[in-house]
């Protein structure tokens, strides 16, 4: 079995978290939020509220990750709190639905925008998606050092690109052909829908929980995991507020609501078609950054599964502190999902539907595990305790329950397929237990 060592610094950890979260969603969701906001203040407040909700969840995960540092992350917490069967079911679902679906989702977004720069035929998005998964999986197979160095560079480029967008929106012309609109003159929409807004806002904030899967590889993790989560959420929240402030000043709320590519419209307004092309480059960079981080963290659960269940022991093997087999299996499943999305002809939407119900179900169970472990293991050393316990984790669980209901209500056949694949883990669990005995 390969051993994973603490090789990630605080900066590396922040780069991974920011890289996972600040992906393609921020280029798409502001228009949906604006369409349901009603007024400028409510729109900005919602984005700030998303940061607060993410911080609540991050504080819960900070206690779990610092108390139980383990490459399995949520898998280990669920296994310890709710039993090996629940832990196995999560690891199976993360390997076959949640993480691999997220990899395929990000790869499709990269493919869509890369195709705007250079077409590769009728299946161009899928071809680009396949190339991205293969190359980035290969990069991480070389070792943690190569993966984290690439991630640091991509995260810097990702954040700088969005800062450029903010500067252009705040300092450039408005949709009225004059200097940017002051906030009190930005056109309002007619109604607000907080529930729908939060679905898309929290989609844009999703991914900070990936810190749990690298907790065993962070140097001085007892201190740096908490710092990395808090700093990351702060950076992301500030960045998202600046992006939306720039869009509101540049376009106004009504034009934002009507836009299909809101940041591209802002860039086109100020720089012409060259600005729209630059947007495609920025989205491609942001997506590759998220994709690399998601590949890096995702294989850790597969690795932990291989260490705990003999039937999957091959997943725990690798070389030079790198879970090689886990990365290869993850990449193969992600490529299979790219094929599914290609035949569905709605790659991005299908993968969102496919992953959402399972993601929020196990997110809810991770919140419950915090209560169980506090009660079952009261004497264990907890270097960090979630503030205002039990109110903070109760709020986190309530949010997860609401989002689980919303994901079940709004997903199509892709969501049903994700649930079916999750349930296929039950006979697989039975077989695994039989083999082990």
């Amino acid at each position: 079995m390969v051993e994973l060592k603490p090789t990630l610094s605080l900066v590396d950890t922040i780069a991974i978290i920011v890289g996972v979260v600040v992906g393609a969603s921020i280029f798409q969701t502001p228009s949906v939020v604006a369409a349901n906001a009603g007024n400028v203040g409510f729109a900005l407040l919602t984005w700030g509220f998303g940061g607060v909700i993410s911080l609540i969840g991050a504080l819960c995960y900070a206690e779990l990750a610092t108390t139980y540092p383990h490459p399995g992350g949520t898998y280990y917490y669920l296994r310890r709190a709710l039993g090996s069967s629940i832990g196995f079911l999560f690891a199976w679902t993360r390997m076959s639905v949640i993480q691999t679906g997220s990899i395929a989702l990000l790869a499709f977004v990269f493919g869509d925008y890369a195709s705007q720069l250079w077409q590769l035929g009728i299946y161009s998005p899928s071809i680009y998606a396949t190339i991205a998964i293969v190359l980035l999986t290969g990069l991480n197979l070389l070792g943690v050092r190569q993966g984290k160095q690439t991630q640091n560079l991509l995260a810097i480029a990702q954040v700088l690109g969005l800062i450029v967008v903010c500067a252009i929106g705040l300092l450039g012309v408005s949709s009225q052909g004059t200097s940017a609109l002051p906030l009190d003159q930005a056109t309002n929409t007619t109604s607000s829908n907080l529930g729908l807004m939060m679905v898309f806002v929290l989609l844009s904030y999703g991914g900070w929980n990936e810190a749990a899967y690298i907790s065993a590889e962070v140097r001085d993790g007892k201190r740096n995991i908490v710092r990395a989560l808090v700093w990351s959420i702060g950076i992301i929240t500030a960045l998202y507020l600046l992006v939306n402030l720039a869009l509101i000043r540049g376009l106004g709320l009504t034009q934002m609501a009507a836009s299909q590519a809101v940041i591209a419209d802002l860039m086109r307004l100020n720089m012409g078609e060259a600005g729209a092309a630059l947007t495609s480059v920025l989205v491609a960079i942001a997506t590759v950054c998220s994709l690399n981080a998601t590949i890096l963290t995702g294989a850790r659960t597969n690795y932990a599964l291989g260490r705990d269940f003999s039937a999957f022991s091959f997943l725990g093997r690798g070389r030079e502190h790198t879970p090689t087999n886990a990365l290869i299996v993850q990449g193969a499943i992600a490529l299979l999902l790219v094929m599914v999305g290609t035949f569905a002809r709605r790659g991005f939407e299908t993968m969102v539907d496919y992953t959402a119900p399972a993601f929020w179900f196990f997110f809810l169970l991770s919140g419950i595990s915090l209560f169980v472990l506090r009660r079952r293991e009261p004497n264990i050393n907890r270097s960090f305790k979630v503030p205002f316990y039990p109110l903070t984790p109760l709020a986190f669980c309530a949010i997860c329950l609401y989002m689980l209901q919303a994901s079940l209500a709004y997903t199509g056949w892709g969501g049903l397929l994700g649930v079916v694949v999750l349930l296929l883990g039950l006979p697989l669990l039975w077989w695994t237990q039989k083999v082990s005995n």
Side-chain angles (χ1 to χ4, degrees):
M1 292 285 182
V2 65
E3 293 294 330
L4 304 183
K5 300 295 184 181
T7 58
L8 300 174
S9 68
L10 174 63
V11 173
D12 296 331
T13 309
I14 292 174
I16 290 171
I17 298 171
V18 172
V20 169
V21 176
V22 185
S25 295
I26 191 59
F27 290 85
Q28 298 171 318
T29 53
S31 59
V32 182
V33 174
N36 292 275
N39 61 72
V40 168
F42 195 45
L44 293 174
L45 183 64
T46 304
W47 284 100
F49 189 43
V52 172
I53 290 175
S54 298
L55 182 60
I56 289 172
L59 291 174
C60 295
Y61 260 72
E63 176 174 326
L64 291 168
T66 53
T67 306
Y68 309 100
H70 193 275
T74 301
Y75 159 75
Y76 183 70
Y77 316 146
L78 294 177
R79 189 170 188 268
R80 190 162 182 143
L82 304 177
S84 60
S85 296
I86 295 295
F88 175 89
L89 195 60
F90 170 76
W92 158 254
T93 306
R94 182 168 164 87
M95 180 170 61
S96 59
V97 179
I98 298 173
Q99 200 71 2
T100 46
S102 297
I103 291 169
L105 182 156
L106 289 165
F108 271 121
V109 175
F110 171 76
D112 287 339
Y113 279 88
S115 296
Q116 294 185 24
L117 298 173
W118 190 10
Q119 273 284 340
L120 296 177
I122 187 173
Y123 294 113
S124 182
S126 298
I127 294 172
Y128 275 117
T130 300
I131 292 172
I133 292 172
V134 170
L135 290 181
L136 290 176
T137 298
L139 174 68
N140 282 276
L141 284 170
L142 295 176
V144 175
R145 182 171 62 85
Q146 289 82 356
K148 74 176 185 180
Q149 288 176 346
T150 302
Q151 186 60 32
N152 291 347
L153 293 174
L154 287 170
I156 292 171
Q158 181 189 61
V159 172
L160 287 177
L162 284 176
I163 290 175
V164 169
V165 170
C166 294
I168 290 173
L170 293 171
L171 303 176
V173 299
S174 75
S175 58
Q176 308 302 313
T178 60
S179 59
L181 292 169
L183 283 180
D184 58 0
Q185 294 180 22
T187 310
N188 292 341
T189 54
T190 57
S191 61
S192 60
N193 185 339
L194 178 60
L196 185 59
M197 291 167 67
M198 291 311 304
V199 167
F200 285 93
V201 167
L202 291 179
L203 173 66
S204 300
Y205 275 98
W208 49 261
N209 57 298
E210 294 300 300
Y213 301 97
I214 54 173
S215 57
E217 299 173 75
V218 177
R219 295 197 295 266
D220 193 11
K222 296 286 186 182
R223 186 167 62 114
N224 282 340
I225 286 290
V226 180
R227 295 169 66 193
L229 280 166
V230 173
W231 271 103
S232 298
I233 297 297
I235 292 169
I236 294 162
T237 303
L239 197 58
Y240 282 2
L241 285 171
L242 278 174
V243 168
N244 280 274
L245 186 63
L247 288 168
I248 290 168
R249 290 180 67 88
L251 298 177
L253 210 60
T254 300
Q255 188 168 334
M256 282 179 65
S259 174
Q260 297 297 314
V262 64
I263 290 182
D265 285 346
L266 177 68
M267 298 292 282
R268 184 180 289 110
L269 176 67
N270 285 274
M271 299 176 61
E273 289 305 316
L278 178 59
T279 302
S280 294
V281 174
L282 293 177
V283 174
I285 292 172
T287 307
V288 169
C289 183
S290 293
L291 186 56
N292 183 68
T294 304
I295 289 171
L296 189 153
T297 60
R300 270 56 188 172
T301 310
N302 304 344
Y303 162 82
L305 178 69
R307 289 173 63 90
D308 293 338
F309 291 87
S310 59
F312 292 88
S313 60
F314 68 97
L315 292 174
R317 302 190 189 110
R319 59 179 179 78
E320 297 181 4
H321 316 311
T322 301
T324 305
N325 290 354
L327 280 163
I328 292 172
V329 170
Q330 174 181 262
I333 296 173
L335 290 174
L336 178 62
L337 292 176
V338 168
M339 292 178 59
V340 172
T342 300
F343 288 119
R345 298 186 183 279
R346 295 173 56 248
F348 176 80
E349 294 87 348
T350 300
M351 288 302 106
V352 171
D353 290 352
Y354 182 66
T355 58
F359 173 81
W360 287 108
F361 173 68
F362 284 109
F363 227 28
L364 172 62
L365 291 187
S366 67
I368 293 172
S369 71
L370 177 59
F371 290 104
V372 174
L373 291 170
R374 273 279 191 112
R375 182 177 180 84
R376 184 179 296 169
E377 302 175 359
N379 297 322
I380 196 169
N381 179 37
R382 289 176 167 81
S383 60
F384 176 81
K385 292 185 177 181
V386 60
F388 309 112
Y389 181 89
L391 296 180
T392 305
L394 278 174
F396 175 62
C397 289
I399 293 163
C400 292
L401 188 61
Y402 171 78
M403 295 302 298
L404 173 60
Q405 179 274 328
S407 64
L408 289 171
Y410 294 113
T411 54
W413 71 266
L416 177 61
L417 179 61
V419 173
V420 169
V421 174
L422 186 160
L423 294 176
L424 286 176
L426 294 174
L428 188 61
L429 172 62
W430 173 82
W431 173 78
T432 301
Q433 292 173 335
K434 185 177 180 180
V435 169
S436 299
N437 294 331

